[in-house]
């Protein structure tokens, strides 16, 4: 059932065993999974069914104190589906080294769990995301595409990211949200406070502020915060009911260790052998699923050279971007059975630029590859892990929003040691492409010189992580290995907020895998 909080009265609150806060990728996936297991679940979304300007203003009130953080405003969406409303749907598992103790990094970067524990949940995410025919093994993808890159040095790995055919979770899970008998989805339901049962150190209810100024209380046996890294840190930092401080209030890591990936253009790429370059780096399609080829620093190289996780892809700049967009719309419409596109309109648009689009369409249909025109050049783009910095954090301001909650500021800080990883990795890629007679790379001179000012040109990746990190002991983090908040018996956190370290991979895939692992635990505990 999908309803608005405006339709709910205090005497008609749905009875639930689990309340999930936040209907983005993570919250939607765990709520649907719990409901399918037979647990009565309420999913609370602060925004409406669609994105509205008024709702987005709550996020626009946030500010940054340190490095520029564009994703603070551009990377968060307050609506059903959350950020997936404008997400490409790229799925990348974390490398096993991310979870390990890396002695060359701060001790606080290691995880209390290992990669093997998440592997079955990665596979389950693919299933839930409608990707039953995905090829999970990179070597098998290369074999199917008949792709043979030049021999790689031991420091580099060639890999593929996988992209969801339908990345918008409001559409992907539309049927489940409306029809699952054990699931009630309530929009326009921002959670503004947690209420604590002091005797048991358990959460009794969450308070929702209705659009008309009234409030609702939702009670349950278990509560899952999945409302995004920044909102999770804000909510956990607030007093619980009756203005009492929560048991976790003095946790030294609460609201600290904010991380994002560090994105930057390392240099300009010029093809030596254009055919070989495109064979290596053009996107591929198998059974309607996109696979994007990339390079990453190997785990052996990270160990031997004491470097961070980092990946790279090529950006093909073209003057025919609009035409390519039309082609992709048409192809997406075909793979979805024309659900999202009018065939006649798309065909007319493509015919007007047939000399460009038809060869691209032919290559797609013949070889399942999407050619990337690059008449404006090619760039080497890096995505680097950042070293966790405890002083990188959230600040609650004295000013409050319309709901009475403090405005937030984020002070994003970098360690600076990321620069050596970027430079060393870029040099490896440049040498590899040139020795393979694929391309030359004109690397930025500031990067080659390890000039710390090079980092001033780096961007965030809209990948907010940390501030409720995972640890076995409350001295080292906010939640335990099962994502239960230290000091609370029935409060859990799901999402990238729990990451002690990040690797270079997009955080959403691992966050969803952790959420399904949490669903297993809650289901077991609730049925005992």
């Amino acid at each position: 059932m999908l309803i608005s909080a405006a339709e709910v009265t205090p005497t008609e609150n749905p009875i639930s065993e689990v309340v999930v806060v936040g209907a983005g990728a993570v919250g939607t996936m765990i709520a649907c999974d719990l409901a399918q297991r037979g647990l009565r679940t309420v999913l609370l979304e602060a925004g409406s069914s669609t994105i509205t300007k008024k709702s987005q203003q709550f996020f626009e009130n946030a500010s940054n104190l340190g490095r520029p953080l564009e994703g603070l405003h551009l990377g968060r969406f307050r609506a059903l589906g959350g950020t997936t409303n404008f997400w490409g749907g790229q799925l990348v598992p974390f490398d096993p080294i991310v979870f390990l103790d890396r002695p060359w990094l701060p001790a606080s970067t290691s995880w209390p769990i290992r990669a093997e524990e998440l592997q079955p949940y990665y596979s389950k995410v693919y299933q839930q995301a409608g990707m039953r025919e995905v090829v999970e093994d990179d070597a098998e993808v290369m074999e199917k595409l008949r792709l043979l890159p030049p021999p790689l040095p031991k420091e580099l790995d060639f890999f593929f990211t996988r992209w969801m055919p339908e990345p918008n979770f409001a559409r992907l899970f539309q049927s489940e949200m409306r029809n699952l008998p054990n699931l009630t989805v309530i929009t326009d339901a921002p959670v503004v406070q947690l209420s604590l049962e002091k005797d048991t150190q358990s959460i009794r209810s969450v308070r929702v502020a209705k659009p008309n100024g009234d409030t609702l209380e939702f009670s349950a046996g278990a509560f899952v915060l999945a409302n995004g890294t920044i909102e999770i840190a804000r909510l956990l930092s607030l007093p619980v009911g009756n203005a009492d401080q929560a048991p976790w209030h003095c946790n030294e890591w609460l609201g600290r260790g904010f991380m994002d990936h560090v994105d930057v253009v390392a240099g300009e790429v010029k093809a030596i052998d254009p055919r070989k370059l495109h064979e290596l780096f053009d996107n591929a399609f198998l059974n309607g699923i996109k696979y994007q080829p990339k390079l990453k620093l190997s785990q052996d190289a990270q160990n031997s050279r004491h470097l961070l996780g980092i990946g790279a892809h090529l950006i093909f700049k073209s003057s025919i971007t609009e035409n390519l967009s039309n082609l992709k719309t048409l192809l997406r419409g075909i793979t979805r059975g024309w659900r999202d596109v009018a065939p006649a309109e798309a065909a007319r648009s493509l015919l007007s630029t047939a000399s460009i689009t038809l060869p691209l369409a032919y290559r797609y249909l013949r070889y399942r590859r999407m050619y990337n025109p690059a008449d404006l050049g090619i760039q080497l783009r890096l995505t680097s892990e950042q070293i966790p910095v405890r002083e990188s954090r959230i600040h609650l301001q004295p000013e409050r929003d319309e709901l009475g909650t403090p405005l937030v500021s984020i002070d994003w800080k970098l360690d600076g040691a990321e620069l050596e990883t970027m430079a060393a990795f870029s040099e490896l890629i440049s040498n590899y492409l040139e020795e393979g007679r694929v391309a030359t790379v004109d690397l930025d001179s500031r990067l080659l010189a390890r000039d710390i000012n090079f980092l001033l040109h780096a961007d965030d990746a809209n990948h907010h992580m940390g501030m409720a990190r995972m640890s076995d002991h409350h001295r080292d983090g906010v939640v335990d290995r099962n994502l239960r908040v230290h000091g609370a018996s029935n409060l859990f956190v799901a999402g990238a907020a729990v990451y002690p370290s990040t690797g270079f991979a997009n955080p959403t895939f691992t966050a969803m895998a952790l959420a399904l692992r949490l669903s297993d635990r809650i289901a077991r505990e609730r049925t005992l």
Side-chain angles (χ1 to χ4, degrees):
M1 179 170 60
L2 176 60
I3 58 175
S4 168
E7 304 172 54
V8 181
T9 65
T11 58
E12 296 175 340
N13 277 8
I15 299 173
S16 62
E17 296 170 89
V18 184
V19 167
V20 178
V21 180
V26 175
T28 299
M29 183 158 284
I30 189 174
C32 289
D33 193 66
L34 288 166
Q36 288 166 340
R37 293 169 177 269
L39 294 178
R40 291 169 298 178
T41 304
V42 168
L43 176 59
L44 300 173
E45 168 53 46
S48 301
S49 296
T50 58
I51 294 172
T52 65
K53 183 177 181 180
K54 182 178 180 180
S55 186
Q56 282 301 108
Q57 286 176 345
F58 283 96
F59 286 165
E60 292 170 2
N61 289 332
S63 60
N64 65 286
L65 300 174
R67 289 179 57 85
L69 189 66
E70 288 190 0
L72 187 59
H73 300 131
L74 301 180
R76 300 194 297 156
F77 295 93
R78 198 170 182 266
L80 196 65
T83 304
T84 69
N85 282 280
F86 289 91
W87 178 48
Q90 183 173 211
L91 304 180
V92 195
F94 278 9
D95 287 330
I97 193 174
V98 174
F99 300 87
L100 302 178
D101 180 22
R102 292 177 275 176
W104 60 96
L105 297 179
S108 57
T109 59
S110 61
W111 293 52
I113 64 173
R114 294 295 176 257
E116 305 82 61
E117 297 180 49
L118 287 186
Q119 187 52 53
Y121 298 104
Y122 282 135
S123 297
K124 187 173 179 179
V125 170
Y126 282 132
Q127 303 300 309
Q128 300 278 45
M131 301 170 67
R132 297 183 181 278
E133 297 189 61
V134 70
V135 181
E136 295 191 46
D137 182 65
D138 286 339
E140 186 178 347
V141 175
M142 295 175 68
E143 182 180 346
K144 287 180 178 292
L145 296 174
R146 299 179 182 177
L147 179 61
L148 186 63
L152 285 157
K154 64 180 182 179
E155 293 90 353
L156 295 178
D157 287 332
F158 191 85
F159 74 107
F160 295 91
T161 64
R162 288 133 181 94
W163 295 67
M164 295 173 58
E166 177 51 85
N168 186 317
F169 275 51
R171 287 199 295 259
L172 182 64
F173 289 93
Q174 180 178 344
S175 176
E176 288 86 345
M177 288 183 183
R178 295 183 180 277
N179 300 318
L180 278 176
N182 291 308
L183 180 63
T184 301
V185 182
I186 305 176
T187 61
D188 305 301
V191 173
V192 295
Q193 192 175 52
L194 306 173
S195 295
L196 182 73
E197 194 71 60
K198 290 184 179 179
D199 294 339
T200 60
Q201 297 294 285
S202 62
I203 300 300
R204 180 175 63 248
S205 64
V206 295
R207 178 169 298 169
V208 165
K210 293 181 65 172
N212 65 359
D214 293 340
T215 60
L216 296 169
E217 299 281 339
F218 290 87
S219 301
F223 297 84
V224 179
L225 304 184
N227 48 330
T229 291
I230 293 172
E231 294 308 309
I232 287 169
R234 170 159 56 177
L235 187 57
L236 287 175
S237 300
L238 297 177
V240 292
N242 300 321
D244 291 333
Q245 297 295 350
W248 56 84
H249 175 72
C250 294
N251 188 290
E252 294 184 359
W253 279 103
L254 176 60
R256 294 180 175 271
F258 174 82
M259 298 173 287
D260 205 315
H261 288 128
V262 189
D263 278 15
V264 71
V265 172
E268 300 294 326
V269 179
K270 292 182 173 60
I272 296 173
D273 186 335
R275 183 193 61 80
K276 189 181 292 186
L277 181 71
H278 284 282
E279 281 298 311
L280 283 177
F281 293 106
D282 281 350
N283 295 333
F285 293 81
L286 297 171
N287 297 316
I289 297 171
K290 182 172 86 172
Y291 297 78
Q292 183 178 9
K294 297 188 178 186
L295 289 167
K296 64 181 177 180
L297 190 67
S298 71
Q299 297 180 78
D300 284 344
Q302 292 177 56
N303 272 315
S304 63
R305 300 179 65 164
H306 295 178
L307 299 174
L308 298 164
I310 189 169
H313 66 283
L314 299 188
I315 296 177
F316 296 85
K317 300 188 295 180
S318 174
S319 59
I320 60 169
T321 302
E322 183 177 350
N323 298 325
L324 290 175
S325 178
N326 290 337
L327 176 62
K328 291 174 182 177
T329 298
L330 177 61
L331 294 173
R332 190 181 299 116
I334 293 172
T335 59
R336 293 178 180 173
W338 300 106
R339 290 198 309 270
D340 298 333
V341 64
E345 181 181 346
R348 282 194 300 272
S349 176
L350 291 174
L351 285 174
S352 66
T353 55
S355 62
I356 298 169
T357 56
L358 289 181
L360 303 184
Y362 171 78
R363 187 164 192 262
Y364 172 82
L365 296 171
R366 177 73 173 80
Y367 299 107
R368 315 309 292 174
R369 303 297 295 275
M370 179 60 75
Y371 183 77
N372 291 301
D375 55 297
L376 297 182
I378 304 172
Q379 293 177 326
L380 177 65
R381 180 82 170 176
L382 309 180
T383 299
S384 175
E385 176 178 15
Q386 82 153 98
I387 296 174
V389 177
R390 191 172 177 274
E391 291 73 26
S392 182
R393 57 169 300 186
I394 191 173
H395 292 272
L396 300 188
Q397 302 300 328
E399 299 82 10
R400 295 177 177 265
D401 60 24
E402 293 180 23
L403 302 176
T405 54
L407 302 185
V408 299
S409 294
I410 299 294
D411 188 1
W412 182 35
K413 295 183 181 295
L414 294 183
D415 179 280
E418 296 84 0
L419 181 62
E420 177 57 32
T421 292
M422 292 176 175
F425 180 56
S426 298
E427 291 167 343
L428 287 166
I429 291 178
S430 178
N431 293 337
Y432 168 66
L433 294 178
E434 187 163 357
E435 290 172 4
R437 305 304 296 163
V438 176
T440 60
V441 185
D442 182 16
L443 293 174
D444 191 300
S445 60
R446 296 164 300 178
L447 177 61
L448 290 173
R450 275 65 170 177
D451 182 350
I452 195 66
N453 291 319
F454 177 76
L455 292 177
L456 296 176
H457 302 274
D459 306 319
D460 58 299
N462 299 346
H463 295 164
H464 304 156
M465 298 167 282
M467 298 200 291
R469 55 178 27 223
M470 185 192 308
S471 68
D472 278 331
H473 196 281
H474 68 83
R475 288 191 304 265
D476 305 313
V478 179
V479 303
D480 66 17
R481 63 176 53 232
N482 297 314
L483 309 187
R484 194 190 316 267
V485 174
H486 288 298
S489 63
N490 65 339
L491 179 62
F492 302 86
V493 174
V498 306
Y499 295 174
S501 60
T502 69
F504 72 89
N506 178 309
T508 308
F509 194 28
T510 296
M512 290 189 288
L514 282 167
L516 291 178
R517 176 176 173 269
L518 174 58
S519 179
D520 269 358
R521 170 154 296 271
I522 291 176
R524 286 196 301 269
E525 291 183 357
R526 300 305 302 168
T527 54
L528 288 178

